[in-house]
Amino acid sequence: MMLADYLAAVTRLNQHASFNGAMQVVTPRQVLYAYAAGLANIEKNAPFTSQTVTGIGSLSKQFLAIAVMQQVTAGRLHLTDRVAQFLPDYPQAAAVTIADLLTMASGIPDYPTLIQKQHLTTARAAASDPQSVRRLGADLSLTDLMALLGDQPLSFTPGSQGVYSNTNYYLLSVILTEVLQKPLAQILTETIWRPLGLTATRLGTQHAQAVSYLPWDDELLFIGKGHHTAGDSGIVTSATDYARWLQTILQRPESLLPAAAWQTLFTIQHNFYGMGWFRHGPWFWHSGLVLGYQADVFLSFEHQLAVFWFTNVRFLTASAQDWNRQQRIWLDQLT
């Protein structure tokens, strides 16, 4: 499928779909396609636009990975540093390095999974249960995280394989604040958001403009904005800001990171994860879920193209899942 055919197909699909959110297709210098539809706030009848600030869940990890690599470049951190240097009270910290955290190779348990195990849901998967979704969208202090991890063993020898764990990037955010002695939001603002002109991007789902919802038993349940401030999944942004962010990544400017650091960031380790990115064929990709918000991104240096979509109504209905699936099929066919 040629790019022009893809854009035409996406346009036709969106004209007939009930997608609620924003989607864009960008090159390093141009926005090829921008679409927004539906409501950011049903109760207030507020439209969802390209400027609407919304939750992006685990797409937050891309920002955090670059912030960490900036400190590695500056010599304040080293990929071989042991986590125990910054979190001496965590029993497993001596076995894990900064690189292990960045590449999902630590073996540290995933904190959302641990939370879900404490509050077993019935009849529905935890990812679609309203109580579980709200619980995971609440704030989590470092004290609470350490209590949750307790003396849980690592699930494998660090550096030997990759298994996804949100805890890795939560800990990276803690390490950043420890090294720079500043709040994470201030670090991200000073090192990434302000230099790039990302004026709508903030840390904390409470800053979202879009309210999130969850399809449940033929209803649309109000989930809200929550108050999730963890660096692994707490960033909110607009489609306009995020398009600029992806254009910056496609350009890989040395003003943000040197060439060698960009290369390290996008090198997939253990056939699983780079630093903030998975890979499928020519596409680096990631999905994000927090509260009722959902986000997906696909970026290809080979195609010099990035595609993303945000929604504040989680893809749980058959029609929404079909829309999501079709987008992925077309990207796989793009030549």
Side-chain angles (χ1 to χ4, degrees):
M1 175 181 277
M2 302 297 290
L3 179 58
D5 298 326
Y6 166 69
L7 294 175
V10 166
T11 302
R12 288 193 301 271
L13 177 64
N14 286 340
Q15 286 173 344
H16 296 91
S18 56
F19 173 69
N20 195 100
M23 175 184 181
Q24 293 199 20
V25 181
V26 304
T27 67
R29 303 288 179 184
Q30 190 177 5
V31 176
L32 298 181
Y33 177 81
Y35 176 82
L39 296 174
N41 188 317
I42 294 172
E43 290 73 25
K44 296 182 178 179
N45 200 36
F48 202 119
T49 73
S50 295
Q51 285 73 47
T52 298
V53 177
T54 188
I56 61 172
S58 285
L59 273 57
S60 304
K61 293 178 174 67
Q62 301 157 17
F63 295 97
L64 198 59
I66 286 183
V68 171
M69 288 303 291
Q70 286 177 330
Q71 300 312 312
V72 170
T73 299
R76 299 185 187 95
L77 279 174
H78 303 88
L79 293 177
T80 54
D81 285 345
R82 298 284 169 174
V83 174
Q85 182 177 335
F86 312 98
L87 291 165
D89 294 334
Y90 175 43
Q92 309 295 345
V96 179
T97 67
I98 299 295
D100 293 333
L101 296 179
L102 282 164
T103 59
M104 299 290 178
S106 72
I108 299 173
D110 178 52
Y111 77 81
T113 302
L114 295 176
I115 292 173
Q116 289 167 354
K117 286 180 179 178
Q118 287 184 338
H119 304 272
L120 294 177
T121 57
T122 58
R124 300 290 179 97
S128 61
D129 175 78
Q131 288 185 335
S132 177
V133 167
R134 289 190 181 101
R135 192 178 296 118
L136 293 177
D139 210 7
L140 181 71
S141 69
L142 178 60
T143 300
D144 290 339
L145 176 65
M146 289 296 104
L148 197 62
L149 291 174
D151 56 0
Q152 294 250 2
L154 300 177
S155 58
F156 54 85
T157 302
S160 65
Q161 60 180 290
V163 172
Y164 195 82
S165 173
N166 289 283
T167 312
N168 290 318
Y169 276 69
Y170 187 113
L171 296 179
L172 284 169
S173 68
V174 173
I175 290 168
L176 266 182
T177 61
E178 177 71 20
V179 168
L180 295 179
Q181 290 295 294
K182 295 178 181 179
L184 182 61
Q186 183 179 347
I187 294 169
L188 294 172
T189 299
E190 291 176 353
T191 61
I192 299 175
W193 299 337
R194 188 180 297 148
L196 296 181
L198 306 184
T199 57
T201 307
R202 299 182 70 180
L203 179 64
T205 57
Q206 70 273 17
H207 299 301
Q209 295 169 339
V211 175
S212 74
Y213 302 88
L214 193 73
W216 181 259
D217 287 339
D218 298 322
E219 296 181 44
L220 209 54
L221 291 186
F222 177 93
I223 299 297
K225 302 178 183 181
H227 194 281
H228 192 70
T229 60
D232 66 286
S233 53
I235 290 174
V236 298
T237 190
S238 68
T240 298
D241 260 23
Y242 194 67
R244 187 178 295 120
W245 167 247
L246 294 179
Q247 288 178 314
T248 301
I249 292 176
L250 285 169
Q251 295 170 36
R252 290 179 280 191
E254 296 214 7
S255 58
L256 196 60
L257 282 178
W262 281 112
Q263 181 67 34
T264 300
L265 197 83
F266 283 97
T267 299
I268 302 299
Q269 300 292 333
H270 309 292
N271 200 32
F272 182 69
Y273 201 75
M275 296 179 178
W277 295 88
F278 293 97
R279 185 169 188 173
H280 172 72
W283 296 100
F284 291 94
W285 69 276
H286 218 291
S287 293
L289 295 172
V290 65
L291 298 155
Y293 304 110
Q294 183 161 347
D296 294 279
V297 61
F298 296 82
L299 179 143
S300 172
F301 295 109
E302 179 181 323
H303 293 305
Q304 284 293 281
L305 196 71
V307 181
F308 71 92
W309 49 85
F310 300 158
T311 181
N312 59 329
V313 182
R314 194 175 287 196
F315 290 145
L316 294 178
T317 65
S319 60
Q321 290 173 350
D322 287 345
W323 183 94
N324 198 2
R325 189 179 304 111
Q326 185 60 64
Q327 297 285 0
R328 295 163 184 264
I329 289 171
W330 283 335
L331 287 173
D332 273 345
Q333 295 173 346
L334 199 61
T335 56

